[in-house]
Amino acid sequence: PTLKRLQGEFGLQPLLGKLLAVINDARLSGRHDLAAITEQLLSISGEDRLTVNRKNKSMVTTKLSTRIVIVTNELPNLRDSSGALASRLLILPLTESFLARENPHLTDELKEELPGILNWSLQGLARLRSRGRFVQPPTGDDAIDSLERLSSPIQSFLADECHLGPEHSESREAIW
């Protein structure tokens, strides 16, 4: 799927029965309904029951078990003043580019390493099962902070410019 298609009339249909949806090279422009995309992502990640419109079939109400992976070079500017979406995301920054130094033999080289890759994967699966959830690696902390700031400018303003608490007060005009 694409982020844009998630907002469409039949945008959730491809996710029925799927455990994983990979959105490659995600891009959002001002022409998309960002509120609708954010709402869909919140509903899916919150495991809400959703009514899915299916083309030439009756609608179905279900909980989607789909996990979404968004691959992008830029943080999506999805407005969510609650901060819920940012708290549900894990960000894995990929900082190395292989542009102009692609390895055309990579598949063959990886095939030789398959037993080691399988063992590494099984060890990771065991850690995941013992923890019960994925953990945000420290390498993504800055990106999570940036995403939170992008998604809620008011919360960013409050954190940067205001002292909060019952002992603090200011006029509306001064805050504005």
Side-chain angles (χ1 to χ4, degrees):
T2 64
L3 289 175
K4 179 183 176 184
R5 284 193 192 128
L6 284 180
Q7 75 182 23
E9 184 178 359
F10 304 107
L12 297 178
Q13 182 179 354
L15 303 183
L16 289 171
K18 302 294 190 300
L19 296 178
L20 179 67
V22 179
I23 300 171
N24 287 312
D25 292 325
R27 297 287 186 274
L28 290 172
S29 68
R31 295 177 298 181
H32 298 115
D33 187 349
L34 300 179
I37 294 169
T38 302
E39 182 179 336
Q40 293 291 46
L41 291 173
L42 282 166
S43 295
I44 295 166
S45 65
E47 299 183 344
D48 299 339
R49 291 184 58 78
L50 295 166
T51 300
V52 179
N53 196 0
R54 303 180 303 165
K55 201 170 204 174
N56 299 319
K57 294 183 179 180
S58 61
M59 290 191 229
V60 62
T61 300
T62 186
K63 179 183 89 167
L64 296 173
S65 298
T66 311
R67 297 296 179 243
I68 298 175
V69 173
I70 301 173
V71 181
T72 182
N73 290 326
E74 54 194 45
L75 289 174
N77 188 3
L78 298 169
R79 297 295 169 113
D80 173 33
S81 59
S82 71
L85 189 58
S87 73
R88 296 175 188 172
L89 298 176
L90 296 178
I91 296 183
L92 306 172
L94 304 175
T95 57
E96 188 169 352
S97 172
F98 295 94
L99 184 64
R101 47 187 197 107
E102 296 87 356
N103 182 352
H105 307 289
L106 183 60
T107 300
D108 294 330
E109 292 173 16
L110 289 175
K111 282 180 182 176
E112 294 176 15
E113 299 293 330
L114 281 179
I117 293 170
L118 175 62
N119 288 333
W120 173 72
S121 300
L122 291 174
Q123 290 169 359
L125 178 60
R127 282 193 313 273
L128 173 62
R129 285 184 170 160
S130 71
R131 251 192 332 260
R133 62 185 177 83
F134 287 102
V135 175
Q136 174 65 54
T139 56
D141 289 345
D142 289 343
I144 288 286
D145 183 56
S146 296
L147 185 66
E148 288 171 345
R149 291 178 167 284
L150 270 173
S151 64
S152 182
I154 293 172
Q155 290 294 338
S156 296
F157 171 77
L158 291 173
D160 293 344
E161 304 296 332
C162 299
H163 298 283
L164 302 177
E167 68 277 10
H168 302 286
S169 68
E170 189 58 75
S171 72
R172 187 177 336 159
E173 292 77 19
I175 296 290
W176 182 254

